[in-house]
Amino acid sequence: KNQVEQSPQSLIILEGKNCTLQCNYTVSPFSNLRWYKQDTGRGPVSLTIMTFSENTKSNGRYTATLDADTKQSSLHITASQLSDSASYICVVSASNDMRFGAGTRLTVKP
Amino acid sequence: DTAVSQTPKYLVTQMGNDKSIKCEQNLGHDTMYWYKQDSKKFLKIMFSYNNKELIINETVPNRFSPKSPDKAHLNLHINSLELGDSAVYFCASSPYLAGGVETQYFGPGTRLLVL
C-alpha cells in the first residue's frame, strides 16, 4: 500500500468552477507536504510546501490545507481555468525520504 | 535560461544497448536527483547527489549509474537496457536535500522507449 493516497484519481470540471483534491498519508515522521502540478509532457512544478506547523498555504488560486493530526491534505482550486488541466501530485517527506502519490488528473472543460 | 535541462528529450533504443541521459542545472543548487515515472504516472526517486556524494539510492538495479562531473551536472548511465526500463526519467535539483522545505525544480523529462 502506497504511503500517499490521492483522490479522486481523475476529475472533470467546467471552467470557472472550484474543486478540491485530497491527499491522505501514513508517512512518518512527518517533515513536510508538497503539492506539485504536472502538465502533460512536462516536469512537475511546485505549488505549495507546508511544514507541520502550517495548516494552510495559498499560491494564487491554489490553496492547500494540512491536518497533521488526521494526516490529510487538500488542494483547493478556485475559479478553474483551462490551463489548470494537469496532474496534481502530493508528496510527503520524512527526514530525507520523499513519498509521491499517484496524482489526480484534472481536466477543465470550457 | 532554462533552470534544469535534460538531453535528449526522446530516446528510442534496442534492448541490450547502453545509453546515457544528461542533466544540467544553472541554479547553483547543491543537490540533484533522478526520478523515474512509469506508465501509471508514479514518480519514484532513483538517486540524489549532494556535493558529489550519493546520498539516496533506492532499490535501483546496478545497471543504472549516476555520474556527477561537477555540482551542476548529474548524468544517468544505463547499461544493458531492458524493456521495463521504458519510462520518463526526470532530473531535479534543490538547494539542499529535499527533506526540508526547499523547493525542487524539475527538468522537462526524457522519454525512453526500449524496443
Side-chain angles (χ1 to χ4, degrees):
Chain A
K1 180 174 164 62
N2 193 29
Q3 292 183 322
V4 181
E5 299 285 345
Q6 291 187 243
S7 61
Q9 192 173 44
S10 61
L11 181 63
I12 301 174
I13 61 174
L14 293 176
E15 187 179 12
K17 298 296 185 182
N18 303 337
C19 67
T20 300
L21 314 180
Q22 299 289 344
C23 175
N24 296 339
Y25 63 92
T26 58
V27 176
S28 183
F30 176 84
S31 176
N32 60 74
L33 186 145
R34 306 160 187 258
W35 282 95
Y36 284 90
K37 177 187 178 188
Q38 185 176 18
D39 292 311
T40 301
R42 309 287 290 270
V45 174
S46 180
L47 294 176
T48 63
I49 304 173
M50 288 185 292
T51 59
F52 184 88
S53 59
E54 297 173 298
N55 55 23
T56 186
K57 185 165 279 190
S58 292
N59 178 358
R61 294 179 297 102
Y62 301 101
T63 299
T65 65
L66 173 65
D67 186 334
D69 291 331
T70 61
K71 298 186 177 180
Q72 296 179 327
S73 175
S74 66
L75 181 69
H76 186 73
I77 304 174
T78 305
S80 61
Q81 299 176 359
L82 298 179
S83 60
D84 292 332
S85 294
S87 288
Y88 291 84
I89 302 171
C90 175
V91 184
V92 183
S93 295
S95 300
N96 62 354
D97 185 24
M98 298 177 71
R99 298 289 170 172
F100 286 73
T104 292
R105 176 70 206 172
L106 174 65
T107 302
V108 180
K109 292 194 170 182
Chain B
D1 56 345
T2 305
V4 182
S5 59
Q6 296 179 226
T7 54
K9 189 172 182 179
Y10 299 96
L11 182 55
V12 181
T13 188
Q14 299 285 334
M15 255 183 11
N17 284 349
D18 303 336
K19 291 293 179 184
S20 295
I21 306 172
K22 295 185 177 181
C23 177
E24 177 181 4
Q25 55 95 2
N26 61 8
L27 298 167
H29 288 167
D30 286 325
T31 307
M32 296 182 71
Y33 312 79
W34 276 106
Y35 289 87
K36 179 182 180 181
Q37 188 170 42
D38 59 26
S39 57
K40 296 182 179 178
K41 304 302 181 185
F42 271 104
L43 268 167
K44 293 181 181 178
I45 191 167
M46 300 176 70
F47 303 102
S48 70
Y49 254 74
N50 179 272
N51 288 327
K52 293 194 175 184
E53 291 188 48
L54 180 67
I55 49 178
I56 297 177
N57 183 351
E58 299 286 314
T59 53
V60 173
N62 57 15
R63 297 181 296 104
F64 292 81
S65 56
K67 287 190 169 51
S68 179
D70 54 57
K71 198 173 81 167
H73 296 83
L74 183 64
N75 303 325
L76 183 64
H77 298 273
I78 316 171
N79 295 325
S80 303
L81 278 156
E82 300 178 357
L83 295 177
D85 297 334
S86 295
V88 182
Y89 292 84
F90 287 100
C91 177
S93 73
S94 67
Y96 306 104
L97 177 58
V101 294
E102 294 77 23
T103 298
Q104 279 189 315
Y105 295 85
F106 282 80
T110 294
R111 284 137 192 87
L112 171 65
L113 177 61
V114 182
L115 303 175

